Amino acid sequence: MSKFSEGVKQDTEMLKSKVKAIKPGRWIVLAILLIITILSYVFYGFFFGEGNIWTPTVDAEGNPEPYSLTGVALLDKICTYVPAIVRCIQSVTILLIVVTILSLVAYKVFGKTQRGVTIYSLIKSLLNWVTALIMIVLILAIFGVDTTALITGAGVVTLVIGLGMQSLIADIVAGLFIVFENSFNVGDIITVDGFRGEVVEIGIRTTKLKALGNIKIFNNNSIQGVLNQSVEPSVAKTLIDVEYGDRLPEIEKIIKEHVGDLQVAGALSPISYDGVAELGASGVTLQFTCQCNEADIFPVGRALNFAVKNMFDENGIGIPFPQIVVHNADK
């Protein structure tokens, strides 16, 4: 296995450790809802049984009788909604349990590779949207809203709203193409519109990049001309000047003798001396490079600078200071 493959494997393992199937806070909320749901079924008759204290009674003619449980009109009105509230908790709990199981299964199936984590991120985003929509419909139905008419009318509403939501639809379609075409994955380092960062999330509508503690959010439809810098090993480069003069052949001989001994943490290849990169104003610029993972390109570059500078100092190779040559005009 190559060093680059080992680096990708390590990055994938690190990425998997960052991605959690279910957040701890959600487990706590789910546990509380589950306890309430179990108690509601244990005391089912108290909430939903015939003659329960929450439901106003009616007389023989079907007219509602005066209802007063607390003596306060507002509290009495709230009490009449207790069975519906308990029904909502039961429905939401069952829905969250189903979604949690689906999320865990998706994490187990897809959360093993960098590509799989990307697919899981999209599935989780989609589950969140679908769960929210189903939850709204369930709660409205429990409180007596005619959801059949609501859903039937949704087609017309969708047609009307869709004309003004073309950008949202475009974002969703673009997000699907990003994942299925494998343009980039969660954990990759990419550059979009001049912003370089690590992909931390690919959602159904947006993609999030992280760099230097900042999160940049792009609408999927606006992501164009992406530079994916994690597909192949990157190159860390160091440019260092030596003085003009006749020592250049001697300096190159010293470099070739010692460059193979340089050790740089994070480098995936031996340090390479590439020759003269530029003839500068005050010196001859020499170039040194090595391969590394894109995530390590800056620390490897700094370590490469340090190693080359030490090699120059140990072998008496001077680094010139900026110089100005002044010519006096003859009178």
Side-chain angles (χ1 to χ4, degrees), residues 78-91:
I78 294 174
C79 288
T80 60
Y81 289 112
V82 167
I85 294 173
V86 174
R87 289 287 190 195
C88 288
I89 293 175
Q90 291 175 340
S91 301

Side-chain angles (χ1 to χ4, degrees), residues 209-270:
L209 304 185
K210 180 179 180 180
L212 302 176
N214 300 314
I215 300 293
K216 179 78 170 180
I217 301 175
F218 292 92
N219 286 353
N220 291 332
N221 188 45
S222 67
I223 298 177
Q224 298 178 358
V226 177
L227 176 62
N228 191 336
Q229 297 166 271
S230 297
V231 177
E232 298 291 340
S234 298
V235 176
K237 179 171 65 173
T238 289
L239 300 173
I240 188 167
D241 287 353
V242 296
E243 58 193 1
Y244 279 104
D246 56 1
R247 287 196 63 201
L248 184 58
E250 177 191 350
I251 291 173
E252 286 199 323
K253 182 179 178 181
I254 294 173
I255 290 173
K256 291 175 181 178
E257 288 177 356
H258 294 88
V259 71
D261 299 329
L262 298 182
Q263 299 293 325
V264 174
L268 301 179
S269 67

